[in-house]
Amino acid sequence: MSESRAFCPRCGDPVPDRTESDADGSVGDPLSPSADVDLCDACYFEDFEFVDAPDQIDVRVCARCGAVHRGRRWVDVGAEDYTDIAIEEVSEELAVHVDVEDVAWQVEPEQIDQNTIRMHCYFTGVARGTPVEEQVTVPVRIARQTCTRCGRISGDYYASIVQIRAEDRTPTTEEIERAKTISNRIVADMEATGDRNAFITDTTETPDGLDLKVSTNKIGKKISNKMVEEFGGTVNDAETLVTEDEDGNGVYRVTFAVRLPPYTPGEVIELEDDADDDGPVLVRSARGNLKGTRVTTGDHYEASYEEGNSPDARRLGDVDDAVETTVVTVEDEHAVQVLDPETFQAKTVSRPDYFDPDADTVPVLRSRAGLHILPDDTDERDE
C-alpha cells in the first residue's frame, strides 16, 4: 500500500507531518504570501527575514526643549538625552516576522559623533520550533532644530495680555506672587494635556500691578477668570486687530484687564454708611460681596448686592498692625479692660463674641476709630 506524504513545492523534499496546532499556524511561501503551500524548513529559512530595519533613521530634535518632530507636528517625548530619543525612534521603526515567537531584543547605542548614534540591535526568537537570532545596526542621525513653540518664545510671540490691577490701591506682594503661581500652574496643566501652544512669554511687575504676556487668548481668559475666582473683583477684555492671516481673516490680540477689589482679607475698615454704628469690620473675603466680622461685637457682616465687594469705607489698619496686650479684667458680657499698648493704662473696650474670657493676652488694633480686640485666628484671612 502506498503512503500519502506532503512534498515541498520548491525542492520536492518530503515535508514532515505537522501537528494540528502547527497546521493551523502554517505559513505560506515568503515570496508569494498569498500562496497556500507548506515549504520545508530549508526552503522556508532560505528567504526568511527575522527583522525588518531601515538603513538609516533621521530625527529632528528641538535643541531647546528636546521635542521630536513626528509626522507634521512636534511632540514632547520627555527624553533625558539624545540616546533615549534614538532608542525610542529605533523601537518604532523595527519590525519582526509575524511567525516568530518568544521574541527578545536588546540594543547597544554607540555614539559616533555629536549628531550620529549607531544602534546595534540583537534579536532572538523561535520560528517553526527552531531558535533564530539576528543582529542589525541602524544609524540614527540627529538634526538639531527649533520647534515652533520655542521659536515663538524666543521671538517674544504673544496673543494675549493679562493686566492685574486693584481698585483704589496697588496689588499686594502676596497677590502678585499668588498671581504668578496661578498663571504658571494653569500653563503647566495645559502643557500636561499636550497643548504645546501654552506658554507665558513675559511676566513684568509694574508700579500698578502685574502684566502677563501669554501665547493664546484661551490662556489669557483662563488666567483672568481664575484671578477673579481667587481674589474677587472683575475682568474686562478688549480686542485689537494686529494683522490678517493668509485667508484675509483678522487676527486679534486680546487684553484682559483684571481689577481686584479695593479691600483685602485681613484689613480692618470703617464703613461710611454704617447707620447702626456697629463698628469696624475685619474683612474675611472679597469674593462676590465683601464679607467680614464686626470687631466690636463679633457679628458677621456682608455687604449688600449693590455694594458688592467695594462698599464705601476707609481703611483703619491690618491684622499685621495688631499688638498683643494684657487683659486687665472682664467687666461684663459687653465690655473688657485691656492695657493700652501706647499709654500703658487700663482701657475699657467692646467685648466681641470671639473674645476668650480666660485669655491673659489679646491682639488689639489701635486706629482713629479707637482700640479694638481682633480675633486670635487673624492668619485665617479668607473664609
Side-chain angles (χ1 to χ4, degrees), residues 174-348:
E174 291 78 9
E175 287 173 329
I176 293 295
E177 294 306 314
R178 180 64 179 151
K180 292 179 182 178
T181 300
I182 291 173
S183 303
N184 290 329
R185 187 181 66 219
I186 288 175
V187 170
D189 289 345
M190 296 181 72
E191 287 179 335
T193 63
D195 188 351
R196 300 198 79 253
N197 291 322
F199 58 86
I200 298 176
T201 304
D202 184 62
T203 302
T204 304
E205 292 189 35
T206 72
D208 299 323
L210 182 69
D211 287 348
L212 301 168
K213 294 180 179 179
V214 297
S215 56
T216 67
N217 294 331
K218 179 180 179 181
I219 298 176
K221 185 174 183 179
K222 276 193 171 185
I223 292 175
S224 302
N225 291 340
K226 188 61 179 179
M227 295 300 166
V228 174
E229 178 184 335
E230 180 83 7
F231 303 112
T234 59
V235 57
N236 296 303
D237 59 83
E239 294 183 342
T240 303
L241 179 64
V242 292
T243 186
E244 292 184 351
D245 60 19
E246 57 186 12
D247 297 325
N249 299 316
V251 176
Y252 293 87
R253 179 171 295 156
V254 180
T255 299
F256 294 92
V258 179
R259 186 71 65 179
L260 304 183
Y263 310 112
T264 62
E267 283 190 302
V268 178
I269 61 175
E270 185 176 46
L271 302 171
E272 293 184 0
D273 295 332
D274 198 348
D276 297 331
D277 193 21
D278 291 329
V281 172
L282 171 62
V283 178
R284 293 291 195 177
S285 172
R287 295 196 297 262
N289 294 355
L290 185 139
K291 305 173 186 66
T293 303
R294 297 280 188 178
V295 296
T296 52
T297 62
D299 294 340
H300 174 75
Y301 166 80
E302 181 171 350
S304 66
Y305 175 81
E306 291 75 14
E307 293 172 319
N309 56 29
S310 56
D312 292 333
R314 60 175 181 171
R315 294 177 177 83
L316 298 179
D318 189 273
V319 294
D320 294 334
D321 302 324
V323 177
E324 198 76 15
T325 192
T326 302
V327 176
V328 177
T329 184
V330 178
E331 295 185 353
D332 55 37
E333 61 181 3
H334 300 295
V336 60
Q337 279 191 5
V338 298
L339 197 65
D340 189 316
E342 287 191 4
T343 65
F344 300 103
Q345 294 179 349
K347 184 176 181 63
T348 300

Side-chain angles (χ1 to χ4, degrees), residues 60-133:
R60 296 164 58 187
V61 179
C62 178
R64 296 188 62 177
C65 69
V68 175
H69 192 271
R70 290 176 177 166
R72 309 177 85 178
R73 64 191 184 97
W74 291 90
V75 179
D76 292 311
V77 296
E80 296 183 357
D81 55 34
Y82 290 155
T83 299
D84 291 341
I85 294 175
I87 293 174
E88 185 173 351
E89 293 297 313
V90 168
S91 302
E92 293 290 332
E93 294 293 332
L94 296 177
V96 298
H97 198 286
V98 294
D99 294 337
V100 182
E101 301 176 340
D102 300 328
V103 177
W105 76 294
Q106 62 180 12
V107 59
E108 294 181 2
E110 178 188 1
Q111 190 80 41
I112 302 302
D113 55 39
Q114 188 177 10
N115 300 316
T116 305
I117 302 174
R118 187 176 293 160
M119 309 299 289
H120 302 283
C121 308
Y122 305 90
F123 290 81
T124 61
V126 178
R128 283 195 171 190
T130 302
V132 291
E133 62 180 29

Side-chain angles (χ1 to χ4, degrees), residues 336-377:
V336 60
Q337 279 191 5
V338 298
L339 197 65
D340 189 316
E342 287 191 4
T343 65
F344 300 103
Q345 294 179 349
K347 184 176 181 63
T348 300
V349 298
S350 298
R351 175 183 169 177
D353 290 343
Y354 50 76
F355 170 75
D356 181 2
D358 296 326
D360 295 325
T361 62
V362 289
V364 296
L365 176 69
R366 169 178 280 279
S367 70
R368 54 194 170 187
L371 195 65
H372 297 95
I373 298 175
L374 298 187
D376 287 329
D377 63 344

